[in-house]
Amino acid sequence: MRKLWITLTYLVFLILLIAPLIKIFTGSWEDGWSGFTDALTRAQSLHALMMTGLIVVVVTLLNTIFGVMLALYLVRAAWLPRRIKGLLNSIVDLPFAVSPVIGGLMIVLMLGPTSVLGAFFEDIGFKVVYALPGMILATLFVTFPLMVREVMPVLQEIGAQQEEAASTLGAYSWYTFWKVTWPSIRWGVIYGVVLTVARSLGEFGAVLVVSGNIMNKTQTATTLVYQDVENFDVTSASSVALVLAAFSVGLLLLMEWAKKRKEVH
């Protein structure tokens, strides 16, 4: 019976993960090397990959800063009432509970051209929805919990004794963070960064709603893959998807290597 369950587990793993990756790889090379390079060097692919890279960089930077800050507040801030902490802790998980499409729709309803805020921003020449800022907000909404949920358990595990000792000795809060807190949480932050990058690369639903998927303007790599599939251009879709998959898998393998390095040291 045990061997049967092990076999079924490997079979599910093969069907759900390995087989799609193999199909993407073979599909991207159906027209040979020239077909693969043509798919990646066309104008819309270069623009979509550039937009994706820009979004990933901005979102990862913002997530790192504000995710670490929120994790510190939720764990260390004694001045926050327990109920407020519980409410904030629940809100952090909101992107896990709702569909990314709903997150994108909320941004459109709040900051779209027909909303009060959206009209105000457009009057001053700052377009949010159907532009890069809205795409960044949508990706931030989806990825924000990742950093917080990686850092919070580490802060809870290490406790606050060393930080309190540093404060007692007269260290400023900024100095205490870099010399005491950061060395203890840096691996959690690294894991959060890796997960944020991988999730940002693959985000589709929220970005599709907010961006409008306008070619050479508000198109990311994932929405370009969607458009190629709709146009029955499977080779181009597979080529772009292969680049995204390879990058994400590489990041996850890097994270596993980093974990092993951490255990050795």
Side-chain angles (χ1 to χ4, degrees):
M1 191 66 180
R2 182 183 176 185
K3 290 182 178 180
L4 176 61
W5 282 112
I6 293 174
T7 303
L8 287 174
T9 302
Y10 278 113
L11 184 62
V12 170
F13 176 77
L14 179 67
I15 293 174
L16 295 181
L17 296 176
I18 304 301
L21 286 175
I22 294 174
K23 186 60 180 177
I24 289 173
F25 181 82
T26 55
S28 63
W29 293 93
E30 281 187 356
D31 296 334
W33 173 255
S34 61
F36 179 74
T37 55
D38 289 344
L40 293 180
T41 55
R42 55 188 173 147
Q44 55 266 43
S45 292
L46 294 175
H47 181 271
L49 291 170
M50 182 192 70
M51 287 290 287
T52 299
L54 180 59
I55 291 171
V56 167
V57 170
V58 175
V59 167
T60 303
L61 180 62
L62 293 175
N63 253 348
T64 302
I65 295 172
F66 294 105
V68 171
M69 286 177 60
L70 182 57
L72 284 168
Y73 288 144
L74 290 176
V75 177
R76 296 283 191 262
W79 48 269
L80 271 177
R82 184 175 298 178
R83 289 184 178 180
I84 299 297
K85 282 187 178 182
L87 178 62
L88 290 174
N89 203 26
S90 300
I91 293 175
V92 166
D93 289 330
L94 182 63
F96 290 150
V98 301
S99 167
V101 174
I102 296 176
L105 178 61
M106 288 191 295
I107 294 173
V108 171
L109 293 176
M110 289 189 302
L111 299 171
T114 57
S115 67
V116 176
L117 280 175
F120 169 76
F121 284 127
E122 292 209 3
D123 287 342
I124 63 174
F126 184 75
K127 192 172 183 178
V128 179
V129 175
Y130 310 127
L132 180 61
M135 298 163 70
I136 291 173
L137 281 176
T139 310
L140 270 173
F141 172 82
V142 173
T143 59
F144 189 72
L146 298 174
M147 182 63 70
V148 179
R149 291 304 176 220
E150 285 292 329
V151 175
M152 277 187 66
V154 180
L155 288 170
Q156 291 166 342
E157 183 181 352
I158 63 176
Q161 291 83 0
Q162 292 182 351
E163 296 167 7
E164 292 170 355
S167 299
T168 303
L169 294 172
Y172 292 106
S173 57
W174 193 245
Y175 183 87
T176 301
F177 173 79
W178 283 114
K179 295 297 182 180
V180 179
T181 308
W182 173 252
S184 301
I185 68 170
R186 66 179 184 274
W187 284 107
V189 174
I190 291 171
Y191 300 153
V193 167
V194 171
L195 293 175
T196 299
V197 171
R199 186 67 182 86
S200 300
L201 284 172
E203 176 48 35
F204 172 72
V207 171
L208 180 66
V209 173
V210 170
S211 68
N213 199 25
I214 305 170
M215 186 183 294
N216 293 327
K217 188 175 180 182
T218 62
Q219 199 168 52
T220 62
T222 51
T223 59
L224 175 61
V225 170
Y226 167 76
Q227 178 181 290
D228 287 337
V229 172
E230 289 288 297
N231 294 333
F232 301 101
D233 190 355
V234 179
T235 300
S236 296
S238 298
S239 299
V240 178
L242 180 62
V243 172
L244 294 177
F247 202 86
S248 296
V249 170
L251 281 173
L252 295 176
L253 291 176
L254 179 63
M255 186 171 71
E256 289 300 316
W257 174 81
K259 285 182 179 178
K260 291 180 180 178
R261 291 272 297 181
K262 177 187 175 185
E263 292 171 359
V264 170
H265 292 289

